[in-house]
Amino acid sequence: MILDRTFLLKIAVGLALFALAAFSAFSLDNYQLQVGTSLAMLAVLCYAWNLVGGYMGYPSLATITFFGIGAYTDGIVQNLDQAIGVAWLAAAIAGAAIALLLGAALLRLKGHYFAIGTIATLEVAREIANNWDALTGGAIGLNIPIQMGSPEFVGRFFFLVMLALAVAAFLVTVVVDRTRFGFGLRCIRQNEQAASMVGIDVVRYKVAAFVLSGALSAAAGGVYASMVAYIEPKDAFNLVKTIEIPVMVMLGGMGTIFGPLIGSAFYVVLNEFVWANFINWHSGILGLIIVGVIYFLPGGVLGTRWPSAKGRMPMRARAAQPRTTA
Amino acid sequence: MLGQYLVNGLLTGGLYACLAVGFALVWGVLNVVNMLHGSMVILGAYVCIIGVQQFGVPLYVAAPLACIALFAFGYAVQRGLINRVVAQPILITLTLTFGLDLIVNNLLLYFVGATPRSLITNFGAVDLFGVRAPVVRIGGMLVAITLTLLLYWLLHHSKLGRAIIAVRMDRHAAALMGIRIPQIYALTFGIGALMAGAAGCAMALIYPTAPMMSGVFLGKAFIICVLGGLGSVPGAIVGGLVLGIAEGAGSLAFGPQWATTVGFVLMMAVIILLPSGLAGRKGFE
């Protein structure tokens, strides 16, 4: 691992933010805890996507497939009277295993075909959850045992668990960013054939990133399912969510260690504001945000050169943006 | 029973071909996965339905009007918005069209509501060897197939069509030959929207449609496009018919609730095993 002083400082800032969030858990009310939990969850999903979409440059739309698989695994295992921790572990393992299988097939595709193939996994998974009544409860959904305790206690508990998962995702990203593995992924993003020629085991790197991403997403899904105590196919395998995740990362900055966090935080704040004020126009405003990000912040908050203190906007800001090759 | 499923499959397949051909064209020529396609189908259906039901325009006027309106819409969207980012990585164009889809869908929901609507038509049905086929579905399929073939003819026998094909083959070489690429892109997207509108009109005659169904149509377009091979018009026809029949066979074998899954599983298999599609040529992947 290559660690210079700036990078260590960045890690420290990140961990301090997470620690601050953890301590504040005891002074937040239930609504704030709920928003915080969904922010932590989205941050995990964004970090998970960032490994494949940001570092490796593969436009994956399968994040929510793994999230849903994790949610259902958690529900099924918990309904077998297993402890909640066992269910979460099972969710992460199921996510990793299915990512391994799907990755081996899908990662041979590129560009549009990869994007569409990953969307198809979501559609197939949703249909299976809809129709395999015996296992998933079908379209009626699946009830999951509710955590005992007062609403405040349960809210705080899940907030802290989700936050711990976000810290884990952040640390995974930090490690990936500074090791040979991450370097290999960035090479794949820039030119896969060249990466293979300089001796990077392209297939193994790609599958490994996909598995890591799948396990993180599925773990988030597992915790989410335990928290809401009821899941249904439409909620667990949601197409809009699977496209929102890359948008959030784009909003923050792809292939960076803070991009996913900043993007999901911005997004949650915007989302809460829009939900509270324009409920009928929610999806339309979401669309406007997406279009706005693409035209005005194509490199994300971190990739955009903001006007300097003297008020000049560098004209060449756009040329310097990170690009994914698709 | 089998015959009925087969005929139903063929009738649906014709519609599917029309539904997907615009999507296939845009994908092939612009290299854009148009997430807006499903909503354009719905938009076409509703222009037609509102024209007929609220303004009393006869169907044979309302449907072409809907197609023209959609062409104008598609042209404007491409010219004004998508052309600016068309050369960017696919994640950008895909999310951009997805964002536009959310906007259009929200507007549709607001103005026409979420209740499914359809044009109520009753032209009777034909019985042949115990197989029943409603006339309106035969008509819808014939119109859809005719339009699709017309598009094929246009692509191969008109100046515009040759220009579109040239751009698909090699954008830079086409530009050197004096073809105005942004103009061709906008026209192609307009034609894609027009075909979506036509499919929407045919759908409105047969099924109740609602803004929430745009995702279903988009999913079908994905599958057909992958099945038939990227960007080719004959591919869309092959893919549409194959999907129609596969869904029929799937619902016969596993029950109707699995029909959609059969389509997507078929698509996954083709995407992995035959990336140039069932009817596609190498090099167009």
Side-chain angles (χ1 to χ4, degrees), chain B residues 17 41 71 73 76 91 127 134 171-172 180 189 196 203 215 239 251 258 263 277:
Chain B
V41 172
F71 176 82
F73 172 76
L91 189 65
D127 269 301
R171 187 155 57 95
H172 302 292
R180 276 175 301 170
F189 202 86
M203 287 285 174
S251 35
W258 290 99

Coordinates of all heavy atoms in Angstrom, one line a residue, chain B residues 17 41 71 73 76 91 127 134 171-172 180 189 196 203 215 239 251 258 263 277:
Chain B
A17 N -42.2 -6.5 -32.7 CA -41.2 -6.0 -33.7 C -41.3 -4.5 -33.8 O -40.3 -3.8 -33.8 CB -41.5 -6.7 -35.0
V41 N -43.6 5.1 -26.2 CA -44.7 4.3 -26.6 C -46.0 4.7 -25.9 O -47.0 4.9 -26.6 CB -44.4 2.8 -26.3 CG1 -45.6 1.9 -26.5 CG2 -43.2 2.3 -27.0
F71 N -42.5 12.0 -33.7 CA -41.3 12.3 -34.5 C -40.7 13.7 -34.1 O -39.5 13.8 -33.8 CB -41.6 12.3 -36.0 CG -40.5 12.7 -36.8 CD1 -39.5 11.7 -37.1 CD2 -40.3 14.0 -37.3 CE1 -38.4 12.1 -37.9 CE2 -39.2 14.3 -38.0 CZ -38.3 13.4 -38.4
F73 N -41.2 15.3 -31.3 CA -40.7 15.2 -29.9 C -39.3 14.5 -29.9 O -38.3 15.1 -29.3 CB -41.7 14.3 -29.1 CG -41.1 14.0 -27.7 CD1 -41.1 14.9 -26.7 CD2 -40.7 12.7 -27.4 CE1 -40.7 14.6 -25.5 CE2 -40.3 12.4 -26.2 CZ -40.2 13.4 -25.2
A76 N -36.6 16.8 -31.4 CA -36.3 17.9 -30.5 C -35.4 17.4 -29.4 O -34.4 18.1 -29.0 CB -37.5 18.6 -30.0
L91 N -22.7 5.1 -19.8 CA -23.3 5.3 -18.5 C -24.0 6.7 -18.5 O -25.1 6.9 -18.0 CB -22.3 5.3 -17.4 CG -22.9 5.3 -16.0 CD1 -23.7 4.1 -15.7 CD2 -21.8 5.4 -14.9
D127 N -62.4 -17.2 -36.8 CA -62.1 -18.5 -36.3 C -61.6 -19.4 -37.4 O -62.2 -19.4 -38.5 CB -63.4 -19.1 -35.8 CG -63.6 -18.8 -34.3 OD1 -62.8 -19.3 -33.5 OD2 -64.6 -18.2 -33.9
P134 N -58.7 -12.3 -32.8 CA -59.5 -11.1 -32.9 C -59.0 -10.2 -34.1 O -57.8 -10.1 -34.3 CB -59.3 -10.3 -31.6 CG -58.7 -11.3 -30.7 CD -58.0 -12.3 -31.5
R171 N -19.0 6.6 -38.4 CA -19.4 8.0 -38.2 C -18.4 8.9 -38.8 O -18.8 9.9 -39.4 CB -19.5 8.2 -36.6 CG -20.0 9.5 -36.2 CD -20.6 9.3 -34.8 NE -19.6 8.8 -33.9 CZ -18.9 9.7 -33.1 NH1 -19.1 11.0 -33.2 NH2 -18.1 9.2 -32.2
H172 N -17.1 8.7 -38.6 CA -16.1 9.6 -39.1 C -16.0 9.7 -40.6 O -16.0 10.7 -41.2 CB -14.8 9.3 -38.4 CG -14.8 9.3 -36.9 ND1 -15.0 10.5 -36.2 CD2 -14.8 8.3 -36.0 CE1 -15.0 10.2 -34.9 NE2 -14.9 8.9 -34.8
R180 N -24.2 15.4 -42.5 CA -24.2 16.2 -41.2 C -24.6 15.2 -40.1 O -25.8 14.9 -40.0 CB -25.1 17.3 -41.4 CG -24.4 18.5 -42.0 CD -25.4 19.6 -42.2 NE -26.5 19.2 -43.1 CZ -27.6 19.9 -43.3 NH1 -27.8 21.1 -42.7 NH2 -28.5 19.5 -44.1
F189 N -33.3 9.5 -34.3 CA -34.0 9.5 -33.0 C -35.5 9.8 -33.2 O -36.3 9.2 -32.6 CB -33.4 10.5 -32.0 CG -33.7 10.1 -30.6 CD1 -32.9 9.2 -29.9 CD2 -34.8 10.7 -29.9 CE1 -33.2 8.9 -28.6 CE2 -35.1 10.4 -28.6 CZ -34.3 9.5 -28.0
A196 N -42.0 4.2 -32.1 CA -42.5 4.0 -30.8 C -44.0 4.5 -30.7 O -44.8 3.8 -30.1 CB -41.7 4.7 -29.7
M203 N -50.9 -0.6 -29.7 CA -51.1 -1.1 -28.3 C -52.4 -0.6 -27.7 O -53.1 -1.4 -27.1 CB -50.0 -0.7 -27.4 CG -48.6 -1.3 -27.6 SD -48.6 -3.0 -27.0 CE -47.0 -3.6 -27.6
G215 N -42.0 0.7 -18.3 CA -40.9 -0.2 -18.0 C -41.1 -1.5 -18.6 O -40.1 -2.1 -19.1
G239 N -36.5 -10.9 -33.8 CA -36.5 -10.9 -32.3 C -37.9 -10.8 -31.8 O -38.3 -11.5 -30.8
S251 N -45.5 -19.6 -21.4 CA -46.7 -19.7 -20.5 C -47.4 -21.0 -20.6 O -48.1 -21.4 -19.7 CB -47.6 -18.5 -20.8 OG -47.7 -18.2 -22.1
W258 N -44.8 -16.9 -15.6 CA -43.4 -17.0 -15.9 C -43.1 -16.5 -17.3 O -41.9 -16.5 -17.7 CB -42.9 -18.4 -15.8 CG -42.9 -19.0 -14.4 CD1 -43.9 -19.7 -13.8 CD2 -41.9 -18.7 -13.4 NE1 -43.5 -20.0 -12.5 CE2 -42.3 -19.4 -12.2 CE3 -40.7 -18.0 -13.4 CZ2 -41.6 -19.3 -11.0 CZ3 -40.0 -18.0 -12.2 CH2 -40.4 -18.6 -11.1
G263 N -38.7 -14.7 -21.2 CA -38.0 -13.7 -22.1 C -36.7 -13.2 -21.6 O -35.7 -13.2 -22.4
G277 N -26.4 -11.7 -31.6 CA -27.9 -11.9 -31.8 C -28.2 -13.1 -32.7 O -27.3 -13.6 -33.3

